[in-house]
Amino acid sequence: MSDADSLALATAPEDVRDRLDDLPLSCRLVYLTLMTAEAPLSAPELSEATVSASSTVRHALQDLADADLVERRPGFGSGSPNVWTIARDERQNGPKNADL
C-alpha cells in the first residue's frame, strides 16, 4: 500500500483499524477501495479496481462482511450483480445501534 493509502486508512475509526489489522492485506485493499469509491461497487468492479483475482476479492469481501465492515446490497436493475459498500455504522463513525 502507498503512503496515501495508509493515510486514508488512518482516517478510519480506531476500532475499524483494529479489525482491519487482523485481516489479510487483500481485505485492507478492498476496504480502502470501497472507502474511497464514489458509489457502491460490485465484486467484478472491485476486482478490476484492485487488480486482484475475483476469488481474492470474494474472499476479502466475505472476511470484511464477517467483521461487519462492509455490506452487500442488491444491484440496480434486474439481473445486476450485488454491490458492496462500507457498513453504514462505519460510515457514520459511531457505535452500532446507537440512539440518535
Side-chain angles (χ1 to χ4, degrees):
M1 259 188 247
S2 72
D3 290 339
D5 294 341
S6 297
L7 182 59
L9 283 178
T11 64
E14 186 175 345
D15 68 310
V16 170
R17 290 192 311 267
D18 289 344
R19 286 184 274 167
L20 285 170
D21 283 344
D22 294 334
L23 298 172
L25 181 59
S26 59
C27 293
R28 287 179 261 168
L29 179 59
V30 168
Y31 186 86
L32 176 66
T33 303
L34 287 171
M35 188 174 144
T36 58
E38 294 181 17
L41 299 172
S42 67
E45 290 169 329
L46 283 164
S47 182
E48 183 178 326
T50 61
V51 191
S52 300
S54 59
S55 60
T56 300
V57 170
R58 281 194 313 270
H59 290 292
L61 287 169
Q62 186 59 56
D63 289 345
L64 290 165
D66 289 346
D68 294 324
L69 292 170
V70 298
E71 296 175 337
R72 179 176 54 186
R73 298 193 178 155
F76 305 105
S78 63
S80 296
N82 290 321
V83 293
W84 294 85
T85 187
I86 300 296
R88 184 173 304 129
D89 292 330
E90 302 311 334
R91 283 193 310 268
Q92 295 170 352
N93 294 332
K96 292 187 175 208
N97 302 321
D99 293 332
L100 298 177

